[in-house]
């Protein structure tokens, strides 16, 4: 073998020390997850003009006193600087969307009958109580999804009175489980980082039942899940966001209330008490982002606990900025061992949930010392 060939063959080995040093330099970022740059789902898009904001949402008609729609359902959405009307097709739990019309974002919402599609304000009993109507030809569809800042986000009609269901749930017992489970170690989340804020809807009347089911506005998770949540928070803070918690550990009896109160068409949004919920195990959290500078919640494509396809993590509606924020939250959480629930963009399960038992300890029976909550 001549010298030149030998030199070419041995040259890569001369780079091994440099390659090894580079690997050591970058390994911490590879091991511990995404960098601040890679966390974001692309460039942050601009917000849409205020004139269009209240019109963004789904339009259709509900069967009275139910969550079932009749006729066509349309989503008014924004993508890449254009307003689109999307027609929902297929089943509600697995919909697809077909574009049917578009409007220029830099123009005001159309009120004439150009192209046969227009928007207008005309409160109509049973069609558009808030007055927002999407007219397709000669058919008007009222807005059926709440605005982001609506005082009462979502409200269903319980199958039976909640007080009656609460009494039954408190008297019942969780399902029996066999297995070797970890010892529960619930941690009160607000003791871990001041950037964790609470908006515990189930302790107030602006939840989906219209009545409080928790006696206290508190949030707990098993310690490994809580620590992973804080790591996700620390990845979001450089981008200007904190975490707003809606729910975390949930006593089993509350899961039973939700299941028994929800009509059949909404069951995909609540857990079956015969199986228990990952919330019951202290390894699930419902949350969103808030702006660290203002303290205000960030707008998402759908509202919390909304029982509609807008809650799905891949819902194509809303605005580009709302979807960007939804995807940012998901990327941060999934980088720390959480998985988003397929029907709720706000719900994340920690990877070790199956290692903990179903718990049924009421909040008032938990005390918190040094962040550790245990039964009295």
């Amino acid at each position: 073998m001549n010298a030149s060939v030998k030199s070419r063959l041995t040259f890569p080995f001369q780079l091994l020390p440099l390659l090894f040093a580079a690997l050591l330099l970058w390994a911490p970022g590879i091991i511990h997850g995404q960098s601040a740059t890679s966390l974001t789902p692309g460039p942050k898009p601009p917000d849409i003009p205020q004139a269009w904001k209240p019109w963004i949402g789904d339009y259709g008609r509900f069967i009275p006193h139910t969550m079932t729609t009749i006729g066509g359902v349309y989503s008014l959405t924004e993508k890449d600087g254009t307003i689109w009307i999307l027609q929902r097709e297929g089943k509600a739990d697995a919909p697809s969307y077909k574009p049917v019309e578009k409007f220029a974002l830099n123009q005001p919402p159309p009120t004439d009958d150009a192209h046969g599609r227009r928007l207008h304000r005309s409160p109509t009993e049973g069609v558009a109580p808030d007055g927002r109507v999407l007219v397709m030809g000669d058919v008007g569809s009222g807005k059926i999804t709440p605005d982001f800042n609506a005082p009462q986000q979502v409200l269903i009609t319980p199958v039976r009175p909640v007080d009656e269901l609460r009494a039954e749930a408190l008297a019942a017992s969780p399902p029996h489980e066999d297995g070797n489970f970890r010892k529960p170690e619930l941690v009160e989340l607000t003791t871990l980082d001041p950037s964790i804020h609470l908006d515990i809807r189930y302790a107030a009347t602006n939840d989906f039942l219209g009545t409080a089911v928790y006696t206290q506005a508190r949030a707990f998770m098993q310690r490994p899940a809580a620590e992973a949540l804080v790591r996700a928070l620390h990845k979001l803070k450089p981008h200007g966001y904190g975490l707003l918690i809606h729910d975390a550990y949930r006593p089993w009896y509350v899961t039973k209330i939700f299941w028994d109160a929800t009509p059949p068409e909404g069951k995909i949004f609540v857990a079956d008490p015969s199986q228990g919920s990952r919330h019951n195990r202290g390894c699930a959290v419902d949350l969103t982002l808030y702006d660290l500078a203002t303290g205000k919640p960030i707008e998402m494509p759908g509202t919390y606990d909304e029982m509609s396809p807008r809650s799905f993590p891949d819902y194509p509606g809303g605005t580009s900025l709302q979807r960007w924020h939804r995807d940012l939250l998901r990327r941060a959480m999934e980088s720390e061992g959480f998985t988003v629930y397929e029907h709720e963009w706000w719900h994340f399960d920690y990877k070790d949930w199956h290692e903990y038992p179903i718990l049924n300890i009421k909040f008032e029976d938990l005390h918190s010392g040094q962040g550790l909550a245990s039964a009295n």
Side-chain angles (χ1 to χ4, degrees):
M1 183 180 296
N2 63 44
S4 63
V5 173
K6 184 176 180 180
S7 176
R8 289 196 299 271
L9 290 175
T10 58
F11 178 73
F13 294 99
Q14 298 170 5
L15 296 178
L16 284 177
L18 293 175
L19 292 172
F20 184 68
L23 179 62
L24 290 177
L25 178 65
W26 289 101
I30 296 172
I31 293 171
H32 293 292
Q34 297 162 306
S35 68
T37 302
S38 65
L39 186 69
T40 60
K44 185 177 179 179
D47 204 355
I48 66 172
Q50 183 59 42
W52 278 104
K53 277 193 173 183
W55 294 99
I56 298 296
D58 287 1
Y59 292 78
R61 185 189 296 264
F62 282 123
I63 297 175
H65 310 298
T66 76
M67 301 183 328
T68 302
T69 56
I70 53 175
V73 175
Y74 301 90
S75 294
L76 197 68
T77 181
E78 177 270 332
K79 182 179 181 182
D80 299 331
T82 300
I83 296 292
W84 289 90
I85 299 175
L86 305 179
Q87 183 175 4
R88 186 198 300 174
E89 298 180 328
K91 295 182 179 179
D93 59 351
S96 60
Y97 294 85
K98 179 180 70 175
V100 296
E101 184 61 278
K102 64 180 180 179
F103 304 102
L105 186 62
N106 60 0
Q107 298 296 318
T111 56
D112 57 18
D113 58 358
H115 306 293
R117 280 95 177 182
R118 60 188 175 90
L119 304 166
H120 73 91
R121 297 295 300 273
S122 178
T124 304
E125 183 67 27
V127 176
D130 74 344
R132 300 191 186 277
V133 179
L134 169 64
V135 179
M136 308 283 287
D138 59 354
V139 178
S141 299
K143 191 176 181 185
I144 58 176
T145 51
D147 292 340
F148 168 75
N149 58 355
Q152 182 66 59
Q153 294 291 314
V154 179
L155 189 64
I156 70 167
T157 302
V159 173
R160 292 163 55 201
V162 173
D163 287 342
E164 182 180 307
L165 297 175
R166 180 185 287 110
E168 291 181 5
L170 288 170
S173 298
H176 173 75
E177 293 186 293
D178 293 316
N180 295 319
F181 295 107
R182 290 191 193 184
K183 181 179 178 181
E185 191 180 4
L186 292 173
V187 177
E188 190 150 22
L189 297 180
T190 52
T191 66
L192 300 182
D193 192 295
S195 298
I196 295 177
H197 290 185
L198 300 184
D199 178 19
I200 307 300
R201 298 288 180 84
Y202 302 144
T205 58
N206 65 333
D207 61 11
F208 74 100
L209 293 177
T211 186
V213 289
Y214 286 168
T215 54
Q216 299 174 349
R218 301 169 75 186
F220 306 86
M221 295 189 78
Q222 303 292 354
R223 182 174 292 280
E227 292 173 347
L229 182 75
V230 172
R231 291 195 297 271
L233 169 64
H234 290 169
K235 291 181 177 180
L236 289 164
K237 290 174 76 172
H239 298 281
Y241 302 104
L243 291 177
L244 181 65
I245 310 299
H246 290 311
D247 193 28
Y249 161 67
R250 180 186 304 161
W252 176 85
Y253 81 90
V254 175
T255 294
K256 181 169 172 56
I257 292 174
F258 290 168
W259 179 263
D260 293 342
T262 303
E265 61 269 22
K267 293 293 191 187
I268 64 171
F269 297 102
V270 291
D272 184 347
S274 69
Q275 304 297 318
S277 165
R278 294 167 193 183
H279 281 288
N280 303 153
R281 302 175 191 274
C283 286
V285 60
D286 295 348
L287 78 174
T288 189
L289 301 174
Y290 75 88
D291 189 321
L292 285 173
T294 65
K296 294 181 179 180
I298 296 297
E299 292 187 19
M300 296 292 185
T303 57
Y304 175 60
D305 259 0
E306 183 178 322
M307 294 185 180
S308 85
R310 294 206 312 169
S311 297
F312 299 171
D314 58 353
Y315 169 69
T319 70
S320 297
L321 182 58
Q322 291 171 349
R323 293 189 299 274
W324 187 89
H325 281 126
R326 179 191 65 191
D327 296 345
L328 175 66
L329 173 63
R330 179 174 178 174
R331 289 164 72 97
M333 294 296 287
E334 290 186 343
S335 74
E336 292 299 338
F338 290 89
T339 301
V340 70
Y341 176 49
E342 62 179 336
H343 293 130
E344 298 173 344
W345 61 260
W346 60 82
H347 176 124
F348 292 87
D349 298 314
Y350 188 59
K351 61 182 180 179
D352 295 337
W353 65 266
H354 58 281
E355 298 183 14
Y356 291 91
I358 294 171
L359 301 175
N360 196 27
I361 307 169
K362 301 180 205 174
F363 287 176
E364 57 266 35
D365 294 332
L366 291 170
H367 67 271
S368 184
Q370 303 299 318
L372 176 63
S374 58
N376 288 325

